[in-house]
């Protein structure tokens, strides 16, 4: 969603002041209806916006994959640290990260201008799978496997959803979660009498981290990848209807 005056201005119809004049004069229509509120929020990807019958082209949908480096925060702005948006540089439209990784976590982070897609990918009830490569400070004790699969209790009784562990090395596991609690992997490892030394997200839903991207590098997601992200959503919707 985006303010109507911002959308018109970004689409080249003039400064904010000029486009507000257009709106007040009744020259702008949203889905065929004349609107006079410049602070109206429109869905730039769904709503039909016209200025006296001329189509206002919506900003293109952007979804990109960043290999987040350590040391940057998953925010649009920050007073103290560089942000993931600094990695991406200047692109048209209002982009934002899909969820958060801790400052010291590396790996796959999606960045988009599609608010509805981001919302769906993050909705707790969608259970989008995320896989983390976890390097541990102590050897992995496989006796924790069952507890993790059944739903580990962390901190003061917070119960995690069932997760999946695959041991890769004495001090390395792959952990797949279906939710995204605050500092979840770190808190789960503390509950398993261990501690995270390094954390990297290697999968988000249907997408694997593109290992040709060095930390700090990004690329646009392909149409097939965007379709897969959206299909994940609609598959969940279909399943809900069947059950
Ligand atoms: N779990 C964490 O503890 N940190 C992250 O950045 C992501 C998942």
């Amino acid at each position: 969603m985006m303010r109507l005056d911002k959308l018109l201005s970004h689409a080249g119809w003039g400064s904010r002041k000029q486009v507000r004049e257009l709106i007040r004069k009744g020259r702008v229509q949203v889905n065929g209806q004349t609107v006079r509120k410049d602070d109206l929020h429109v869905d730039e990807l769904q709503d039909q916006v016209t200025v006296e019958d001329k189509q206002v082209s919506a900003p293109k949908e952007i979804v990109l994959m960043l290999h987040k480096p350590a040391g940057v925060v998953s925010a649009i702005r920050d007073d103290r640290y560089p942000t993931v948006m600094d990695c991406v540089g200047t692109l048209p439209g209002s982009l934002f990260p899909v969820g958060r990784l801790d400052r010291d976590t590396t790996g796959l982070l999606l960045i988009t201008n599609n608010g509805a897609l981001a919302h769906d990918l993050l909705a707790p009830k969608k259970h989008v799978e995320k896989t983390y490569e976890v390097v541990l400070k102590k050897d992995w004790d496989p006796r924790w496997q069952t507890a993790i699969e059944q739903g580990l209790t962390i901190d003061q009784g917070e119960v995690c959803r069932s997760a999946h562990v695959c041991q890769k090395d004495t001090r390395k596991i792959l952990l797949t979660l279906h939710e995204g609690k605050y500092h979840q992997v770190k808190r789960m490892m503390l509950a398993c009498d261990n501690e995270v030394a390094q954390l990297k997200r290697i999968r988000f839903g249907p997408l694997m981290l593109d290992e040709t991207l060095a930390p700090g590098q990004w690329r646009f997601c392909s149409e097939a990848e965007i379709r897969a992200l959206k299909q994940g959503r609609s598959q969940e919707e279909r399943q809900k209807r069947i059950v």
Side-chain angles (χ1 to χ4, degrees), residues 68 74 100-106 130 132 175 177 179-188 196 199-201:
K68 179 192 171 298
S74 307
R100 283 168 185 274
L101 290 174
D102 295 338
R103 185 156 53 93
D104 54 354
T105 302
T106 61
K130 293 134 205 146
Y132 295 88
L175 182 62
L177 307 182
E179 59 187 343
K181 295 182 193 296
Y182 182 65
H183 290 331
Q184 183 162 353
V185 177
K186 289 175 185 163
R187 292 196 293 149
M188 284 175 77
V196 170
L199 188 56
K200 177 178 178 184
R201 183 157 70 190

Side-chain angles (χ1 to χ4, degrees), residues 143-161:
R143 281 177 300 177
W144 286 103
Q145 181 118 359
T146 316
I148 287 183
E149 280 169 6
Q150 288 176 348
L152 188 70
T153 302
I154 54 177
D155 295 338
Q156 267 81 47
E158 205 176 334
V159 182
C160 297
R161 292 182 69 88

Side-chain angles (χ1 to χ4, degrees), residues 20-184:
R20 282 184 197 144
E21 263 313 289
L22 286 179
I23 298 167
R24 283 198 205 114
K25 286 185 175 155
R27 294 172 60 193
V28 179
Q29 299 79 38
V30 176
N31 301 324
Q33 302 284 322
T34 297
V35 291
R36 290 176 196 272
K37 283 179 66 188
D38 46 33
D39 64 349
L40 182 80
H41 277 76
V42 290
D43 184 332
E44 64 273 28
L45 300 169
Q46 305 281 343
D47 289 325
Q48 284 272 343
V49 180
T50 48
V51 179
E52 289 170 343
D53 294 335
K54 288 195 197 76
Q55 180 78 40
V56 174
S57 49
K60 210 172 145 337
E61 177 180 45
I62 296 175
V63 185
L64 58 90
M65 176 189 291
L66 169 70
H67 185 164
K68 179 192 171 298
V72 307
V73 291
S74 307
I76 296 174
R77 265 182 298 277
D78 193 89
D79 292 338
R80 285 186 300 166
Y81 301 106
T83 74
V84 290
M85 304 316 292
D86 297 323
C87 299
V88 170
T90 314
L91 284 172
S94 328
L95 295 174
F96 49 87
V98 179
R100 283 168 185 274
L101 290 174
D102 295 338
R103 185 156 53 93
D104 54 354
T105 302
T106 61
L108 198 171
L109 184 72
L110 295 176
I111 293 182
T112 187
N113 62 351
N114 185 341
L117 177 63
H119 178 268
D120 273 7
L121 291 170
L122 295 173
K125 61 178 189 231
K126 304 279 170 158
H127 311 312
V128 172
E129 282 189 355
K130 293 134 205 146
T131 301
Y132 295 88
E133 188 182 86
V134 191
V135 178
L136 296 157
K137 291 200 177 164
K138 296 192 274 181
D139 289 357
W140 174 245
D141 181 347
R143 281 177 300 177
W144 286 103
Q145 181 118 359
T146 316
I148 287 183
E149 280 169 6
Q150 288 176 348
L152 188 70
T153 302
I154 54 177
D155 295 338
Q156 267 81 47
E158 205 176 334
V159 182
C160 297
R161 292 182 69 88
S162 165
H164 182 73
V165 191
C166 172
Q167 184 166 5
K168 300 304 278 182
D169 213 331
T170 43
R171 291 195 179 184
K172 192 191 274 187
I173 59 168
L174 296 183
L175 182 62
T176 299
L177 307 182
H178 304 86
E179 59 187 343
K181 295 182 193 296
Y182 182 65
H183 290 331
Q184 183 162 353

